[in-house]
Amino acid sequence: MALMTLLAITTIAIVRQRNLFGVVILAGIYSFLMASVLIVLDAVDVAMTEASVGAGISTVVLLGTLHLTGGLELERPRRALLPLFSVATVAAVLVWGTLSLPPFGTADAPIHKHVAPRYLEKSVEETNVPNVVTAVLADYRGYDTLGETAVIFTAGIGVMLLLRRGRGRRKPDGAADDTGAAK
Amino acid sequence: MRFDVVIRVGTKLILPFILLFALYVQLHGDYGPGGGFQAGVIAAGMVILVALTFGIDQAKQVAPQALVQRMVPLGVLIFAGTGLVGMLYGQNFLDYSVLGPVAPSARERGILLVEAGVLVTVSGTMLSMFYAFVERGR
């Protein structure tokens, strides 16, 4: 509950903050809080990812973006009524949708009845891997993980292509030659 | 290019431990939390720390840009290649049970290989993105 309150406070601070440098740092704090929430929920693998990617790498990449774009947000648009209305509507629909979910932690929720029990019972026997998350991720659902890796690959290629545009023609083998300009 | 001595010495002290932790997360992912994705991000984070403290040229000596960019597709190829081995032996794609005589340990081996592929792609991608941002800003 305390974590949730802190999350809400951080979110409001992010919305109110005009200086984008502050926003990036607050987003990092948000990620660490989220990682703590995930640890409380016993999702340690996800918490580790959230802490390392959300708070670590993406903070660095966003700071790099700020270095390219400048650190102040543009003026707020005048009319905020329509966005406010649509956001409130979507939020109401989402909350309404959660009402028909089974209560949190219910043992006989549909998600625990499908293949999850089989993974929990058989994964050590079938794969010698005690961490069931790893077994599901890399073996039972290996196809999904291959897809995820391909997504990361695609994203990396996309970022490289976008950011190197207009530079590659002059120096095809990267920019290892312009030393001394490091910040 | 002056940097605070505390940050430089502190970075030097902490670097081997970050790398060791990345390897631990990678190889111990079978037993505890973690795996290729997290380990790749931590390893990339180590190089980024070097870049932030000692400058981008030092970081490129640790992880050359050409190597990092080749790692991006290499990891996907390791992953897909592990899957293809199963097909070559007449099983399904990504069926690791052909990688050894006993099915459980063979599947464990397959998981290790696949996680290595994820590690290579993730750390390569993160570092390539970081390098791309830094060079664009020059």
Side-chain angles (χ1 to χ4, degrees):
Chain A
M1 198 64 217
L3 282 171
M4 284 303 185
T5 316
L6 283 173
L7 271 181
I9 293 173
T10 318
T11 314
I12 293 169
I14 289 176
V15 174
R16 305 287 304 173
Q17 179 66 259
R18 313 303 297 165
N19 184 349
L20 292 180
F21 183 79
V23 171
V24 171
I25 300 301
L26 283 169
I29 294 173
Y30 184 90
S31 285
F32 273 126
L33 286 172
M34 203 65 215
S36 312
V37 170
L38 290 166
I39 286 177
V40 172
L41 293 175
D42 278 344
V44 200
D45 288 82
V46 193
M48 202 177 222
T49 314
E50 177 68 38
S52 55
V53 179
I57 298 279
S58 63
T59 305
V60 169
V61 169
L62 283 173
L63 286 179
T65 316
L66 281 191
H67 180 69
L68 302 181
T69 58
L72 272 181
E73 197 176 345
L74 292 178
E75 274 301 302
R76 185 198 302 258
R78 292 263 180 277
R79 303 275 302 273
L81 228 58
L82 184 65
L84 186 68
F85 175 72
S86 51
V87 165
T89 314
V90 172
V93 170
L94 287 176
V95 170
W96 179 63
T98 58
L99 288 182
S100 55
L101 286 177
F104 180 75
T106 322
D108 55 352
I111 194 171
H112 300 309
K113 291 246 163 142
H114 186 43
V115 286
R118 187 182 173 282
Y119 290 160
L120 288 176
E121 284 161 15
K122 292 284 183 86
S123 68
V124 177
E125 186 184 317
E126 284 180 352
T127 63
N128 270 356
V129 172
N131 183 3
V132 69
V133 177
T134 304
V136 171
L137 194 95
D139 191 307
Y140 295 110
R141 309 299 306 166
Y143 209 80
D144 295 344
T145 311
L146 176 61
E148 280 169 27
T149 316
V151 166
I152 296 168
F153 163 76
T154 318
I157 297 288
V159 168
M160 274 185 272
L161 284 178
L162 276 175
L163 288 178
R164 291 170 68 87
R165 188 180 50 189
R167 291 185 51 110
R169 209 153 291 170
R170 280 178 291 126
K171 280 176 289 183
D173 63 343
D177 45 310
D178 53 351
T179 48
K183 291 165 291 301
Chain B
M1 218 167 83
R2 277 182 60 247
F3 292 102
D4 195 39
V5 68
V6 175
I7 295 177
R8 296 175 68 155
V9 174
T11 304
K12 274 186 186 171
L13 280 177
I14 208 173
L15 281 181
F17 294 104
I18 298 180
L19 196 55
L20 189 66
F21 183 61
L23 284 173
Y24 168 79
V25 169
Q26 168 76 16
L27 299 173
H28 208 257
D30 290 4
Y31 301 94
F37 193 90
Q38 291 89 339
V41 173
I42 294 170
M46 187 207 72
V47 182
I48 290 178
L49 185 61
V50 173
L52 292 179
T53 315
F54 300 107
I56 188 71
D57 298 316
Q58 283 287 328
K60 280 183 182 168
Q61 286 189 347
V62 176
Q65 193 168 19
L67 170 76
V68 165
Q69 287 180 353
R70 281 175 181 79
M71 277 163 71
V72 178
L74 179 69
V76 181
L77 289 179
I78 293 176
F79 201 137
T82 312
L84 283 178
V85 172
M87 278 179 92
L88 289 179
Y89 281 90
Q91 299 292 323
N92 287 328
F93 184 59
L94 290 171
D95 186 342
Y96 313 134
S97 55
V98 297
L99 294 169
V102 194
S105 59
R107 287 174 77 165
E108 189 182 8
R109 198 169 303 156
I111 289 176
L112 277 179
L113 276 172
V114 160
E115 294 276 9
V118 176
L119 167 89
V120 169
T121 286
V122 168
S123 54
T125 305
M126 297 300 168
L127 278 178
S128 301
M129 279 166 60
F130 179 68
Y131 285 162
F133 272 101
V134 172
E135 293 197 341
R136 184 73 173 189
R138 279 190 168 181

